[in-house]
Amino acid sequence: MAALTKQNRSKSTSLMPRALAALFIAGFVLMMSSSAFALDGYADRKGVFVGLGVGGGIGAVANEDDGITNGLGDGRKLGLSLHGIIGGGVNKNIVLGLGVNTWIRNVEQGSQDYHHQHWNFLANGNFFLIDGLYIDAGAGLAYASYDATIGPVTQTYNEMGLALRGGLGYEFFLNGTHALGMNVGYTRHFYFDADAAFDTIGATIGIRWY
């Protein structure tokens, strides 16, 4: 009985290196195959993507009568901008999407307070030129929400309009699916009831998941 037990132990002992070698080989093969699958789609902009960004910029309201008004031209102080986009890649050099952007700013001039929120909802295209450098272009709807408090009186203004955007950006892949980027752009909103246009020039830092 003792001899059989000793023999079984020696067999199991001799099988352990083989089992470990087999596991090592299997793990190596799986690792290489998973790496190959990852490299197959590495830094590829094809397919669905989502992106988020935050930044800031200057803004001004322009109309035919007063030029730059409503406190936004004074000192051209920065406002906060937020950005979101979802879309898909036609290929590695062209991505199309639907984006939403907002620009928020509070301005105080003496006893007068101005609060602006300008939104746009754009059909957007990025056209990559060299590596991560791209041209940004978009068109769509605009929305303005504007409050002006002058003494005890607060005036509220809201209007839908149209928006056009153009810009330049650069992004680089942190890994196979995540890209960090920066975008600098100009946006014009057209508001017809107020007979005015709203301009922003700003920069955004963001990340995309491809």
Side-chain angles (χ1 to χ4, degrees):
M1 189 71 175
L4 288 174
T5 303
K6 186 176 181 180
Q7 185 178 8
N8 289 335
R9 285 179 180 173
S10 63
K11 286 182 178 180
S12 61
T13 302
S14 62
L15 287 174
M16 285 183 64
R18 296 180 183 178
L20 289 174
L23 287 172
F24 178 80
I25 293 172
F28 181 78
V29 171
L30 287 173
M31 183 179 68
M32 292 302 294
S33 62
S34 64
S35 299
F37 291 142
L39 287 172
D40 183 57
Y42 187 84
D44 193 344
R45 297 186 179 93
K46 290 183 180 179
V48 177
F49 76 92
V50 294
L52 297 172
V54 62
I58 58 175
V61 174
N63 59 46
E64 294 181 358
D65 297 329
D66 302 324
I68 298 173
T69 62
N70 300 331
L72 293 172
D74 181 33
R76 299 204 179 257
K77 298 177 182 178
L78 292 175
L80 173 68
S81 61
L82 302 173
H83 163 76
I85 188 170
I86 183 169
V90 178
N91 52 45
K92 190 175 180 178
N93 297 317
I94 301 175
V95 296
L96 304 176
L98 297 175
V100 56
N101 306 275
T102 183
W103 187 91
I104 304 169
R105 181 175 149 191
N106 296 321
V107 179
E108 294 183 6
Q109 283 190 320
S111 61
Q112 302 176 5
D113 294 332
Y114 301 93
H115 174 69
H116 284 257
Q117 284 194 36
H118 294 267
W119 297 77
N120 59 63
F121 309 89
L122 304 179
N124 203 82
N126 296 156
F127 307 94
F128 288 83
L129 305 176
I130 303 172
D131 295 330
L133 182 67
Y134 65 89
I135 295 174
D136 181 24
L141 298 176
Y143 178 75
S145 176
Y146 164 66
D147 294 332
T149 302
I150 303 173
V153 179
T154 299
Q155 298 177 344
T156 300
Y157 170 78
N158 299 281
E159 184 183 349
M160 291 290 294
L162 300 176
L164 295 175
R165 172 180 169 78
L168 191 67
Y170 183 83
E171 71 173 18
F172 62 94
F173 279 89
L174 300 173
N175 53 39
T177 56
H178 296 75
L180 184 67
M182 181 175 181
N183 182 285
V184 178
Y186 165 78
T187 305
R188 165 155 282 208
H189 293 182
F190 299 92
Y191 301 120
F192 303 103
D193 290 344
D195 192 21
F198 178 77
D199 299 321
T200 57
I201 298 174
T204 302
I205 296 175
I207 189 168
R208 289 182 178 181
W209 292 266
Y210 287 95

